[in-house]
Amino acid sequence: MIYKGKAIRVQALGDGIAEMQFDLEGDSVNKFNRLTLNEFRQAVDALRAEATLKGVLVSSAKGMFIVGADVTEFLELFRAPEEELRGWCLEINRVFSDFEDLPVPTVVAINGMALGGGFEMCLACDFRVMAESARVGLPEVKLGINPGFGGTVRLPRLIGSDNAIEWIAAGKENSAAEALKVGAVDAVVADDRLREAALDLVKRAAAGELDFLSRRQPKLEPLKLGNIEQMMAFESAKAYVAAQAGPHYLAPLAAVKTIQKAANCAREAALEIEVGGFVKLAATTVAQSLVGLFLNEQELKRKARKYDKDAREVSLAAVLGAGIMGGGIAYQSALKGTPILMKDIREDSIRQGLAEADKQLAKRVEKGRMTVQQMAEVLNGIRPTLSYGDFRQVDLVVEAVVEKLEVKQAVLAEVEAQVPEDSVLTSNTSTISISLLAESLKHPQRFCGMHFFNPVPLMPLVEVIRGRQTGEQTIATTVAYARKMGKTPIVVNDCPGFLVNRVLFPYFSGFTRLLAAGIDFRRIDRVMEAFGWPMGPAYLLDVVGIDTAVHARNVLAEGYPERMKEEGPTAIDMLLGAGRLGQKSGSGFYAYEHDGGSKPKKLEDPQVAELLRPLVRETRELDDEEIVNRLMLPLCLETVRCLEEGIVESAAEADMGLIYGIGFPPFRGGALRYIDALGVSRFVELADRHAELGPLYQPTEKLRDMARQGRTFFA
C-alpha cells in the first residue's frame, strides 16, 4: 500500500502501475470535503515519492466517481474574508496541478457521476475513460459560483472555448455520448468493462504506445485562438449567455469573462484568474441564496426519506374528477410507473382528462424524450371509468373534484365505502380545511391533503396536509407516492390556505391596495418581474383564475379576518363581476388570444383601466422600491407566522414551498432567507414604517425578539 487514508487509498498494481481510489469512509458517495482534499495532497506527495512509478489509474470504489465539493462544509468558508478564501483555493489548485504534473501518465475511470470538483479531477488526468451510463458536468453556476478547481482553465483547452462555455454556463450534466462527441473524454465503454479498459489504457501509455505528454501540453498553455478569433467567440458568447441567464444570475456571464480573461495565459496564471472570479462570486448574496437553496433541497429529501419505513406500497392509484387537473395527476402517476384509475361522472370530463394526458405525452415525443410506443404504454396506465367497479384494488385515492365543501365531503364519503379499509384517501383541495373535510369520513386517520399545483406536470411541489386525526402511516404513504410521482412533498399542518396560498394572498392583498392607491397594474407587474418573479401579480392572478382567487381570498378572510378581510370590493371582485376570469375566459387584467403557441398571448386591454377607476381612493407617487416593499412585506410576515405557528416545521421547508409552489425568485432564496439577507432588524424597521397599512404589515413579537437578539432564520 502506497498510501491509505479515510477517503483515498493508493496501492501498487504491479509493473509500476498504481491505483488511486476514492472511497470516502462512512458515506454513500465520494465528495471533495476537507478530509478528502487533505488526503489528496498526501496521496499526490506519496505518488511523487515513488521512484518506480510508471502510471496512475484513478478510480472510485463507490457507485459514483465524485459528486463534487461538500457544500455544507464550505459555506462557512465562503463567508470568510476574500484573501482567506483566495489562499485556500490557490492551495487546492496547487494539489491538482501537482497531480497533473506527475512524470507518468494518468488515466481516470469515470463511473456514475463526476460533477463539479469531481469532473475537474478528471480534467487534471491525461486520459479519461467513461462508462456508458455515467454523466459529467460542471454545475457550479446553479450555486451562483464558477468552477474553482481549474474547470474554466482545463475544459476550454480540451474541447474548445465554444463547447466549454456551453457546458459551464448551462451547468448541465452531460451523457457519455455527448462527452465523447466534443472530446471531453477519450473513450466510452460498457459499464462492466470500465476498469479493465482504463487499466489497459494506462499500461499502453506507460509502455510508450501513447504520448501522454502531448495530451497534457494544451492544458498548460494559452488557448489556441488568435485575437480576432477570441473577440468573435467571446463577445457573441457573452451576449447570448447574458440574454439566457437574465440580470439576476451573475455566474454564467462571469464564467465567460473568466475564460476570456485567461485565454492568453499559461495554466498557473489562468488558475489565479479563475480563483479571483470564484472568490468574488462566492461573496454575493445570489451565491449564498443558491447555496442555501441547494442545502434546503437536501434537507427536504432527507426528511421525505424518513417516511419510507412507514409507507405502504401504492401499486394502483385513483383520481376522482377528470378534466385538466385530474388528467395532469393521472398523467404524472402513469408516467412515473404507477397505474391509475381516472373516474368522473361525465363522459366529456373523462375525454378532457385523457386529452390533457395525451397532450403532455405528445410534447415528450416531439422533443425526443419518449417513443410513440412508450407513450402508448403510459396511456395504457390510465384507466378511465364512470363507475367504482375496480376501486377494490386501489391503494390511494386523490379527490380532485370542484372546490366546494359539500361536494367534496359527499364524494369522499362515497369513495370511502368503495375502497379497501387500508386505502389512503387524499384531497387535492387548495383551501378547504382537511379536518373539516374529514368529518364526513368513518376513518379520518386514513385521510390527508395532497395539494398539487397547476399545471401538474411542471410544478414540482405537493403540499401534504396533516389534519387533526390524520395517521402517520397515511402521511408516510402519501409522501412516498408524491416522491414516486417525481414531486417534492412538503408536510404541513392544517389551516386555512395551508402554507402556499396562505402566504400568497397577503401578497395579492398588497397588490390590490396598490391599485387603490392609483398605481397602474402593468407597472406593478414590470417592477415585480424585474425583482425576479416569473410573472407579476396581475398576470399571475389571470393564470390562477379570478374566480379561483376570489374563492381562496374569501376562505382566508374567514380564517384570518383581523388580517385578511377586505374593507370593500377590490380589483378581483370588479373583474369577477365583469365576467373577466383570466386566461380561461380570454380576459382578466389582460386580454388573451391563441396564436398557435403553447400558451395564450397576453395583450393589453384599455377597458380594464376604466373598470378599475372607481376603486382608486387616492393617487400617490411611489417609487419601485416602495412597490416591492408593499408586496413583499405581507408575504414575508405571513411566512414568519406559518413557521411560528408550526404550520410548517422548518425555515427550509417554508422557503422551498414558496420557490416550488409560486415561483418565488430562487436567487433570493425564499421569504425567510430574504429577511436574513436584508437583516432581521432592518426588516422589522421597514415593516414598522408601513404600520399604517394594517395588521398584514405588523411584525410578530417573536420576530421583534429575533431582531433584538441578532438571530437569523438560517445559521
Side-chain angles (χ1 to χ4, degrees), residues 138-169:
L138 296 171
E140 285 87 349
V141 294
K142 294 179 179 178
L143 298 179
I145 54 177
N146 285 165
F149 295 166
T152 66
V153 176
R154 294 183 177 93
L155 190 61
R157 287 154 177 76
L158 282 172
I159 68 175
S161 60
D162 288 351
N163 288 326
I165 286 168
E166 184 179 342
W167 275 41
I168 295 170

Coordinates of all heavy atoms in Angstrom, one line a residue, residues 138-169:
L138 N -20.1 20.5 -15.0 CA -19.7 21.5 -14.1 C -20.9 22.3 -13.8 O -21.2 23.4 -14.4 CB -18.6 22.4 -14.8 CG -17.3 21.6 -15.1 CD1 -16.3 22.5 -15.9 CD2 -16.5 21.1 -13.8
P139 N -21.7 21.9 -12.8 CA -22.9 22.6 -12.5 C -22.8 23.8 -11.5 O -23.8 24.3 -11.0 CB -23.7 21.5 -11.8 CG -22.7 20.7 -11.1 CD -21.5 20.7 -11.9
E140 N -21.6 24.3 -11.3 CA -21.4 25.3 -10.3 C -22.3 26.6 -10.4 O -22.7 27.2 -9.4 CB -19.9 25.8 -10.2 CG -19.0 24.8 -9.6 CD -18.5 23.7 -10.5 OE1 -19.0 23.6 -11.7 OE2 -17.6 22.9 -10.1
V141 N -22.6 26.9 -11.7 CA -23.4 28.2 -11.9 C -24.8 28.0 -11.2 O -25.4 29.1 -10.9 CB -23.6 28.5 -13.4 CG1 -22.3 28.8 -14.1 CG2 -24.3 27.3 -14.1
K142 N -25.2 26.8 -11.0 CA -26.5 26.6 -10.3 C -26.4 27.0 -8.8 O -27.4 27.2 -8.2 CB -27.0 25.2 -10.5 CG -27.3 24.8 -11.9 CD -27.8 23.4 -12.0 CE -28.1 23.1 -13.5 NZ -28.5 21.7 -13.7
L143 N -25.2 27.1 -8.3 CA -25.0 27.6 -7.0 C -24.5 29.1 -6.9 O -24.1 29.6 -5.9 CB -23.9 26.7 -6.3 CG -24.3 25.2 -6.1 CD1 -23.1 24.5 -5.4 CD2 -25.6 25.1 -5.3
G144 N -24.6 29.7 -8.1 CA -24.2 31.1 -8.2 C -22.7 31.3 -8.2 O -22.2 32.5 -8.0
I145 N -21.9 30.3 -8.4 CA -20.4 30.4 -8.5 C -19.9 29.8 -9.8 O -20.7 29.3 -10.6 CB -19.8 29.7 -7.3 CG1 -20.2 28.2 -7.2 CG2 -20.0 30.4 -6.0 CD1 -19.6 27.4 -6.1
N146 N -18.6 29.9 -10.0 CA -18.0 29.3 -11.2 C -17.1 28.1 -10.7 O -16.8 28.0 -9.5 CB -17.1 30.3 -11.9 CG -17.9 31.3 -12.7 OD1 -17.4 32.3 -13.2 ND2 -19.2 31.0 -13.0
P147 N -16.7 27.2 -11.5 CA -15.7 26.2 -11.1 C -14.5 26.9 -10.5 O -14.1 28.0 -10.9 CB -15.3 25.6 -12.5 CG -16.5 25.7 -13.3 CD -17.1 27.1 -13.0
G148 N -13.9 26.2 -9.4 CA -12.8 26.8 -8.7 C -11.6 25.9 -8.6 O -10.6 26.3 -8.0
F149 N -11.7 24.7 -9.2 CA -10.6 23.8 -9.2 C -10.0 23.5 -10.6 O -9.6 22.4 -10.9 CB -11.0 22.4 -8.5 CG -11.4 22.4 -7.1 CD1 -12.0 21.4 -6.5 CD2 -11.1 23.6 -6.3 CE1 -12.4 21.4 -5.2 CE2 -11.5 23.6 -5.0 CZ -12.1 22.5 -4.4
G150 N -10.1 24.6 -11.4 CA -9.5 24.5 -12.7 C -10.4 24.2 -13.9 O -9.9 24.1 -15.0
G151 N -11.7 24.2 -13.6 CA -12.6 23.8 -14.7 C -12.7 24.8 -15.9 O -12.8 24.4 -17.0
T152 N -12.6 26.1 -15.5 CA -12.6 27.1 -16.6 C -11.3 27.2 -17.4 O -11.2 27.9 -18.4 CB -13.0 28.5 -16.1 OG1 -11.9 29.0 -15.2 CG2 -14.3 28.5 -15.3
V153 N -10.3 26.6 -16.8 CA -8.9 26.6 -17.5 C -8.8 25.4 -18.3 O -8.4 25.5 -19.5 CB -7.8 26.7 -16.4 CG1 -6.4 26.6 -17.1 CG2 -8.0 28.0 -15.6
R154 N -9.0 24.2 -17.8 CA -8.7 23.0 -18.5 C -9.7 22.6 -19.6 O -9.4 22.2 -20.6 CB -8.5 21.8 -17.5 CG -7.3 22.0 -16.6 CD -7.1 20.8 -15.7 NE -5.9 21.0 -14.8 CZ -5.8 21.5 -13.6 NH1 -7.0 21.9 -13.1 NH2 -4.7 21.7 -13.0
L155 N -11.0 22.8 -19.2 CA -12.0 22.4 -20.2 C -12.0 23.1 -21.5 O -12.0 22.5 -22.6 CB -13.4 22.5 -19.6 CG -14.6 21.9 -20.4 CD1 -14.3 20.3 -20.5 CD2 -15.9 22.1 -19.7
P156 N -11.8 24.5 -21.5 CA -11.7 25.1 -22.9 C -10.5 24.7 -23.7 O -10.6 24.6 -24.9 CB -11.6 26.6 -22.5 CG -12.1 26.7 -21.1 CD -11.8 25.4 -20.4
R157 N -9.4 24.3 -23.0 CA -8.2 23.9 -23.7 C -8.3 22.5 -24.2 O -7.6 22.1 -25.1 CB -7.0 24.1 -22.8 CG -6.6 25.5 -22.6 CD -5.9 25.8 -21.3 NE -5.5 27.2 -21.2 CZ -6.3 28.2 -20.9 NH1 -7.6 28.0 -20.7 NH2 -5.8 29.5 -20.8
L158 N -9.3 21.7 -23.7 CA -9.5 20.4 -24.1 C -10.6 20.3 -25.2 O -10.4 19.5 -26.2 CB -9.9 19.5 -23.0 CG -8.8 19.0 -22.0 CD1 -9.5 18.3 -20.8 CD2 -7.9 18.1 -22.7
I159 N -11.7 21.0 -25.1 CA -12.8 20.9 -26.0 C -13.1 22.1 -26.8 O -14.1 22.2 -27.6 CB -14.1 20.4 -25.3 CG1 -14.6 21.5 -24.3 CG2 -13.8 19.1 -24.5 CD1 -15.9 21.1 -23.7
G160 N -12.3 23.2 -26.6 CA -12.5 24.4 -27.3 C -13.4 25.4 -26.5 O -14.2 24.9 -25.7
S161 N -13.2 26.7 -26.7 CA -13.9 27.6 -25.9 C -15.4 27.6 -26.1 O -16.2 27.7 -25.1 CB -13.4 29.1 -26.2 OG -13.6 29.4 -27.5
D162 N -15.9 27.4 -27.3 CA -17.3 27.4 -27.6 C -18.0 26.3 -26.8 O -19.1 26.5 -26.1 CB -17.6 27.3 -29.1 CG -17.3 28.5 -29.8 OD1 -17.0 29.5 -29.2 OD2 -17.3 28.4 -31.1
N163 N -17.5 25.1 -26.9 CA -18.1 23.9 -26.2 C -18.0 24.1 -24.7 O -18.9 23.8 -23.9 CB -17.4 22.6 -26.6 CG -17.8 22.2 -28.0 OD1 -18.9 22.4 -28.5 ND2 -16.8 21.6 -28.7
A164 N -16.9 24.6 -24.2 CA -16.7 24.8 -22.8 C -17.6 25.8 -22.2 O -18.2 25.6 -21.1 CB -15.2 25.2 -22.5
I165 N -17.8 26.9 -22.9 CA -18.8 28.0 -22.5 C -20.2 27.4 -22.4 O -20.9 27.6 -21.4 CB -18.7 29.2 -23.4 CG1 -17.4 30.0 -23.2 CG2 -20.0 30.1 -23.2 CD1 -17.2 31.0 -24.3
E166 N -20.5 26.6 -23.4 CA -21.9 26.0 -23.4 C -22.0 25.0 -22.1 O -23.0 25.1 -21.4 CB -22.1 25.2 -24.6 CG -23.5 24.6 -24.7 CD -23.7 23.8 -26.0 OE1 -23.0 24.0 -27.0 OE2 -24.7 23.0 -26.1
W167 N -21.0 24.2 -21.9 CA -21.1 23.3 -20.7 C -21.1 24.1 -19.4 O -21.9 23.7 -18.5 CB -19.8 22.4 -20.8 CG -20.0 21.2 -21.6 CD1 -20.6 21.1 -22.9 CD2 -19.6 19.9 -21.3 NE1 -20.5 19.8 -23.4 CE2 -19.9 19.0 -22.5 CE3 -18.9 19.3 -20.3 CZ2 -19.6 17.7 -22.5 CZ3 -18.6 17.9 -20.3 CH2 -18.9 17.1 -21.4
I168 N -20.2 25.0 -19.3 CA -20.1 25.7 -17.9 C -21.2 26.7 -17.7 O -21.8 26.7 -16.6 CB -18.7 26.4 -17.9 CG1 -17.6 25.4 -17.9 CG2 -18.6 27.3 -16.6 CD1 -16.2 26.0 -18.1
A169 N -21.6 27.5 -18.7 CA -22.7 28.5 -18.5 C -24.0 27.8 -18.3 O -24.9 28.4 -17.6 CB -22.7 29.4 -19.7

